[in-house]
Amino acid sequence: MKKKIVAALMASVMCLSMLAGCGNNDDGQQGGNSGNSGSSEGTSSTPTSSDNSSSPDASQPSGEGDANAQGWEQTWPDGQKITWLVRDDNVDPKDSRYQQLIAVEKIEEMFHVDIEFIIFNGKADDAKEQYMTMVTTDPLPDVIAYLNEEMYKNTENGKNGITGLKEMGVIPQRLNEIIESKMPNLSKILEDHPDIARDMSDSNGDYLYFQRINPLDVTGIVASNDTGLVMRKDWLDEVGMEVPTNMAEWEEVLRAFKTLGDDKIPFDAYSSGIQLFEGAFGMMSGIYIDPDTGKVEYGARTQKYKAYLETMNRWHTEGLMAEAFDENGNATKGTGDDNVLSSIAGSWKGLANNGGEGSKFEGKLRTEKGQPNATLVAVPWPATEDGKVYSPRAVSRKQRETEIITVDAAKEPEKMDAIATIIDYMYSEEGSVLLTWGEEGVTFETDELGNRRLTEYGNEQLELPGNTGKPQRYKMYGNQSGGFPSYGCFDVNLATRNEWYVNAATTWVEDTSFELGYPGSISVSVDTSNSQLDTYIAEMKWKFITGQEPLSNFDTYVAELERMGISDIVKAYQDAYDIYLSK
């Protein structure tokens, strides 16, 4: 089946009103198997996957009866067209990777549909204007896979995000009935995981969108964390100390690092790095769930925050961290990358790509900076005084990209059935694996413990016409950049990473409670004038840390926060949280 791509030229909306004409291109490239997945090289040696049980159509009989065999009923005509908007930035629509996705072709064949992609350039200068034009102009695409919560901003009436799309009649009022009647895989996920059901539904318990679901199991949590504390292990060895596990040990290590030279920055606080120590005081400076009370709190007004500031002030006074800060508390002495690569910084807020061979920092220090013994280590979050370990980062299963079904699709019950059935297949284990890993025996293999690993072929990078990136072959199944919902399979995010990366990401989540984070799926409306409060908090943080404002004035500072309405903000978040818990 030939793929058809439609350019989303929202400025003129002409293409949107002529989708069939824009899409039927006899020159379109067919993406029928792994041998023609966009590379002009190596096609003659492409492995095949005959009788592969993980392929969605491997056991699919043709003609009548296939619906019963697969557990779904076809209520739509063969060849049912579905327009599906996806994001593929700065690429000619005919060269889009979506034109060649193998999983999509298999889904088309299995469910007897014709998926026609509309390509949206999210990096266009007028991307937001194009988006707003698209969702307010007929005809609408059937499915819109994009940053819908962020892009829909109707400032005239204040109806924003997906809720705004609902109120403005762009999407159906609720998807609950279609989920219950046509989507058994998603229904089972929501039934078995009340936390996921709460995250995906609004305050009324209505489902309005779909997304990739991160179950936040061990693998899901590891795959969603790539930022933490990083330290020079060779410096630790030089001063004869171990990796610190609490704030007292951190202070000892930083003081020892300071003895290595007057130019040394024991902790380089660039990129708001000092925020990563908030969890050691059992709080987050913004909105969080207080583990002591189970209630919503704004950390910047608490005594825990004061204790945190006292420690940061001491580190600043003793020269244990970058000495110059801007009004937001960010270090301004040089840049973090320069300090690390110049061997001035001993520890910092880092990424999981900082270490390992050929890495951003460790690799360059060894090969380009003449330090063959340079070694980095990921440091676990420091424990509180009573031994509890909290991540200072809110971990959420909410993904930025969502898939919404528009009212135009909902007007046609047969088309709505087809879309719901296809999306539900994507949520199945078979569909999720196909979209994220590809095919077993082709792009991935499974070991005796059930762990999947990319094959050499699946990990091979491709040169695609008109594309600047070089995706691995396994991404030619479901396109890891998005466009489709799925469940789990976040382990694929770690499949191509080096050992240091995986160990670092694991270090930043193991033995850690995530109770501090306010659920990211909750939408809370607060007065926009609170930006004034945020500015005041940032300014006072900087002054307290640098000593321009004595911490003896902390109570006066809190009183000013109250005058600026911080308690009203906490109440708004608490009310939303109570509704969330009651769903």
Side-chain angles (χ1 to χ4, degrees), residues 115-148:
I115 297 176
E116 186 173 280
F117 288 114
I118 303 172
I119 306 303
F120 185 84
N121 180 5
K123 290 187 177 180
D125 293 338
D126 60 344
K128 290 188 177 181
E129 289 79 4
Q130 288 187 28
Y131 180 90
M132 291 298 292
T133 300
M134 176 189 66
V135 297
T136 55
T137 304
D138 291 329
L140 297 168
D142 297 319
V143 180
I144 301 176
Y146 195 54
L147 310 175
N148 299 296

Side-chain angles (χ1 to χ4, degrees), residues 1 65 68 84 86 88 113 155 157 183 209 212 219 324 410 470 490 553 577:
M1 183 179 294
N68 291 334
W84 200 296
V86 292
D88 202 351
V113 298
T155 54
N157 58 22
M183 307 182 75
Y209 62 88
R212 292 184 71 200
T219 299
K470 296 182 179 180
F490 282 78
N553 289 342
Y577 186 58

Side-chain angles (χ1 to χ4, degrees), residues 263-277:
D263 65 331
K264 302 302 184 186
I265 301 175
F267 181 75
D268 196 322
Y270 77 104
S271 189
S272 302
I274 57 175
Q275 290 183 0
L276 299 188
F277 294 104

Side-chain angles (χ1 to χ4, degrees), residues 232-242 257 375:
R232 287 286 295 262
K233 178 64 168 60
D234 52 321
W235 286 26
L236 281 172
D237 294 340
E238 188 173 350
V239 298
M241 304 187 77
E242 300 294 328
F257 281 179
T375 308

Side-chain angles (χ1 to χ4, degrees), residues 2 5 78 133 147 184 197 212 242 269 311 325 328 342 351-352 375 378 495 516 525 568 570:
K2 215 166 258 205
I5 305 293
D78 283 351
T133 300
L147 310 175
R212 292 184 71 200
E242 300 294 328
T311 299
F325 291 82
N328 296 314
S342 299
L351 297 172
T375 308
L516 296 180
S525 297
D568 293 335
V570 172

Side-chain angles (χ1 to χ4, degrees), residues 121-275:
N121 180 5
K123 290 187 177 180
D125 293 338
D126 60 344
K128 290 188 177 181
E129 289 79 4
Q130 288 187 28
Y131 180 90
M132 291 298 292
T133 300
M134 176 189 66
V135 297
T136 55
T137 304
D138 291 329
L140 297 168
D142 297 319
V143 180
I144 301 176
Y146 195 54
L147 310 175
N148 299 296
E149 185 68 26
E150 302 170 25
M151 292 294 285
Y152 187 75
K153 302 294 182 184
N154 196 331
T155 54
E156 293 183 1
N157 58 22
K159 300 182 186 302
N160 300 319
I162 293 177
T163 301
L165 291 169
K166 168 186 173 180
E167 294 180 2
M168 297 305 293
V170 178
I171 62 175
Q173 295 298 297
R174 64 202 309 260
L175 297 170
N176 297 47
E177 289 74 17
I178 195 77
I179 292 174
E180 292 171 4
S181 62
K182 297 292 182 180
M183 307 182 75
N185 290 303
L186 178 56
S187 294
K188 188 71 165 61
I189 292 171
L190 298 175
E191 178 183 352
D192 292 346
H193 301 278
D195 50 347
I196 293 176
R198 282 197 298 265
D199 285 345
M200 287 187 62
S201 59
D202 65 11
S203 58
N204 297 318
D206 294 337
Y207 299 105
L208 305 175
Y209 62 88
F210 306 104
Q211 65 174 34
R212 292 184 71 200
I213 297 177
N214 186 343
L216 292 188
D217 53 13
V218 174
T219 299
I221 293 173
V222 170
S224 63
N225 280 268
D226 63 357
T227 306
L229 294 164
V230 178
M231 186 172 284
R232 287 286 295 262
K233 178 64 168 60
D234 52 321
W235 286 26
L236 281 172
D237 294 340
E238 188 173 350
V239 298
M241 304 187 77
E242 300 294 328
V243 171
T245 61
N246 55 45
M247 293 303 287
E249 293 177 1
W250 259 94
E251 206 156 295
E252 291 177 4
V253 167
L254 296 184
R255 286 173 177 154
F257 281 179
K258 189 64 179 175
T259 67
L260 296 179
D262 292 337
D263 65 331
K264 302 302 184 186
I265 301 175
F267 181 75
D268 196 322
Y270 77 104
S271 189
S272 302
I274 57 175
Q275 290 183 0

Side-chain angles (χ1 to χ4, degrees), residues 207-443:
Y207 299 105
L208 305 175
Y209 62 88
F210 306 104
Q211 65 174 34
R212 292 184 71 200
I213 297 177
N214 186 343
L216 292 188
D217 53 13
V218 174
T219 299
I221 293 173
V222 170
S224 63
N225 280 268
D226 63 357
T227 306
L229 294 164
V230 178
M231 186 172 284
R232 287 286 295 262
K233 178 64 168 60
D234 52 321
W235 286 26
L236 281 172
D237 294 340
E238 188 173 350
V239 298
M241 304 187 77
E242 300 294 328
V243 171
T245 61
N246 55 45
M247 293 303 287
E249 293 177 1
W250 259 94
E251 206 156 295
E252 291 177 4
V253 167
L254 296 184
R255 286 173 177 154
F257 281 179
K258 189 64 179 175
T259 67
L260 296 179
D262 292 337
D263 65 331
K264 302 302 184 186
I265 301 175
F267 181 75
D268 196 322
Y270 77 104
S271 189
S272 302
I274 57 175
Q275 290 183 0
L276 299 188
F277 294 104
E278 292 177 354
F281 297 85
M283 63 90 199
M284 296 172 68
S285 58
I287 289 290
Y288 73 105
I289 307 299
D290 190 325
D292 298 331
T293 65
K295 299 292 185 180
V296 176
E297 184 53 273
Y298 204 126
R301 70 174 182 176
T302 66
Q303 290 299 306
K304 294 177 181 179
Y305 184 69
K306 181 181 181 182
Y308 160 76
L309 292 177
E310 289 171 344
T311 299
M312 295 299 104
N313 171 263
R314 185 167 61 251
W315 287 13
H316 179 268
T317 301
E318 294 186 23
L320 302 183
M321 61 183 181
E323 60 191 38
F325 291 82
D326 62 20
E327 65 276 8
N328 296 314
N330 298 320
T332 58
K333 182 179 180 180
T335 63
D337 286 14
D338 288 346
N339 290 340
V340 173
L341 292 173
S342 299
S343 288
I344 296 175
S347 55
W348 58 89
K349 172 187 176 181
L351 297 172
N353 67 2
N354 283 180
E357 184 177 355
S359 61
K360 177 179 180 181
F361 287 150
E362 187 176 279
K364 287 186 177 180
L365 284 168
R366 292 183 176 185
T367 61
E368 299 178 15
K369 301 298 180 178
Q371 297 195 38
N373 296 322
T375 308
L376 306 185
V377 61
V379 182
W381 304 119
T384 61
E385 289 185 351
D386 57 359
K388 295 180 180 178
V389 180
Y390 299 110
S391 169
R393 299 177 63 233
V395 178
S396 173
R397 64 171 50 86
K398 185 174 183 179
Q399 307 295 307
R400 294 181 63 200
E401 184 171 276
T402 55
E403 291 77 38
I404 56 175
I405 302 176
T406 68
V407 290
D408 280 11
K411 291 174 184 175
E412 303 180 46
E414 293 176 343
K415 179 182 290 188
M416 190 71 169
D417 286 354
I419 295 172
T421 302
I422 290 168
I423 289 179
D424 191 59
Y425 173 75
M426 293 175 176
Y427 277 123
S428 71
E429 181 178 3
E430 180 182 282
S432 295
V433 170
L434 178 70
L435 286 166
T436 53
W437 284 92
E439 293 181 88
E440 187 164 11
V442 180
T443 54

